[in-house]
Amino acid sequence: MSVHPSEGSKVKRVTTHQLQMMKTRGEKIAMLTAYDYSMARIVDEAGIDVILVGDSASNVMAGHETTLPITLDQMIYHASSVVRAISRAFVIVDIPFGSYQGNSSEALKSSIRIMKESGAHGVKVEGGEEIQQSVERIVNAGVPVMGHLGLTPQSIYQFGTYTVRAKEKAEAEKLLRDAKILEESGCFAIVLEKVPADLAKEVSSQINIPTIGIGAGGGTDGQVLVLHDMLGITKDFQPRFLRRYADLANIMNDAVGHFIKDVKSNDFPNEDESY
Ligand code: KIV
């Protein structure tokens, strides 16, 4: 009998060690968000390296304006749905706002709940020096931690806008310092969101762990996008960094319109579609 999850299965699961090796050999890491079983299954089967159960679920799935309202219970629900779908990807879960800031015991408790109740492989936290103690406690408990610097959406009311961060020297220097602190604290990777490309490239060259960029140019060790944005499901969100790989909103709209027409005209169901 196999005692390790990937033993005996043909699919080789992605691990933090493999992600580190990818940085070492210059192979880019591809990461996308997912929040439910059906989407996660498609994304995993397509060969994605990392799935992020992002607190962007608060925007994308629940229609909130910010990521702040989503709860730990809701994140665990999304994460467990994703975990049931995957056989290869490394699954990371955002610890939501209010479940780790300023209290390392709470941070550890939230991480343990996520790992135990969802079966995910690691957690992500926003911030640098100010959450160092929390990161260290979570890492010491054996949980892989991904950092997140630059535009950190859980602090949106402090920033005031979603514009590019760290354009000024002082903020850029703090970001580089924070990246080094997160690395020293044991993070296995760091998301860099909406920062100048030159800065992201510099940070990526100065730390040994992988950086995953979103709106951070091509010099990071990997890229992440929100799945619903890159599939063209969220139509109103059009930042410069976003490349759309499909136009699913229009495809779905056409399909639904077609269904309505067929029902109204008695074309659906036909004899072949009936018992
Ligand atoms: O919640 C999320 O989707 C994220 C990504 C934008 C990195 O944190």
Side-chain angles (χ1 to χ4, degrees):
M1 194 183 88
S2 167
V3 289
H4 297 294
S6 55
E7 252 181 44
S9 113
K10 279 197 202 94
V11 182
K12 211 158 184 274
R13 284 183 182 276
V14 178
T15 62
T16 55
H17 176 69
Q18 281 170 4
L19 297 171
Q20 182 62 56
M21 296 322 295
M22 286 167 83
K23 170 161 181 145
T24 306
R25 58 175 185 263
E27 178 186 342
K28 297 275 182 170
I29 297 164
M31 171 161 125
L32 283 171
T33 64
Y35 318 101
D36 68 283
Y37 177 88
S38 305
M39 290 286 209
R41 192 158 171 191
I42 294 169
V43 171
D44 185 62
E45 284 177 0
I48 202 75
D49 298 311
V50 183
I51 292 182
L52 170 66
V53 185
D55 56 2
S56 50
S58 179
N59 313 106
V60 174
M61 303 302 285
H64 291 296
E65 206 176 305
T66 72
T67 59
L68 276 62
I70 200 159
T71 66
L72 185 58
D73 284 339
Q74 288 165 341
M75 287 303 298
I76 289 169
Y77 168 77
H78 286 298
S80 57
S81 307
V82 167
V83 168
R84 280 192 289 275
I86 58 102
S87 52
R88 177 182 176 274
F90 193 75
V91 179
I92 292 294
V93 183
D94 264 327
I95 311 186
F97 177 70
S99 308
Y100 65 98
Q101 285 95 342
N103 183 337
S104 63
S105 305
E106 174 110 24
L108 180 60
K109 241 165 69 187
S110 300
S111 308
I112 288 174
R113 276 204 62 201
I114 288 172
M115 300 298 283
K116 260 187 183 303
E117 296 176 37
S118 77
H121 311 137
V123 298
K124 178 163 83 57
V125 285
E126 296 183 4
E129 190 175 11
E130 57 287 353
I131 58 157
Q132 181 176 7
Q133 217 189 355
S134 296
V135 171
E136 284 168 355
R137 283 192 78 169
I138 302 169
V139 169
N140 286 339
V143 177
V145 179
M146 179 179 274
H148 186 154
L149 297 171
L151 177 65
T152 46
Q154 291 179 7
S155 307
I156 188 59
Y157 290 118
Q158 201 170 50
F159 298 149
T161 73
Y162 284 98
T163 52
V164 179
R165 303 301 311 174
K167 286 205 283 197
E168 306 303 327
K169 193 162 173 245
E171 195 180 337
E173 284 171 357
K174 171 166 166 39
L175 191 143
L176 181 54
R177 241 185 358 261
D178 281 342
K180 289 179 176 170
I181 288 170
L182 290 177
E183 178 177 26
E184 281 160 20
S185 304
C187 281
F188 74 92
I190 301 175
V191 166
L192 298 177
E193 179 165 355
K194 242 178 161 184
V195 297
D198 285 350
L199 174 63
K201 193 172 173 190
E202 172 72 8
V203 171
S204 306
S205 73
Q206 291 221 16
I207 60 174
N208 295 307
I209 54 174
T211 57
I212 316 276
I214 174 164
T220 52
D221 303 304
Q223 297 291 330
V224 56
L225 286 175
V226 168
L227 183 66
H228 291 61
D229 296 339
M230 60 84 78
L231 291 178
I233 295 175
T234 48
K235 290 200 330 185
D236 301 333
F237 184 61
Q238 296 179 337
R240 172 174 165 166
F241 68 76
L242 175 61
R243 185 178 294 180
R244 288 200 197 285
Y245 288 85
D247 185 10
L248 286 199
N250 281 333
I251 290 172
M252 291 170 76
N253 192 287
D254 282 353
V256 173
H258 203 152
F259 170 73
I260 294 168
K261 192 170 130 287
D262 286 355
V263 170
K264 305 268 179 199
S265 65
N266 276 325
D267 185 69
F268 176 79
N270 61 24
E271 268 188 33
D272 289 348
E273 290 157 339
S274 305
Y275 297 98

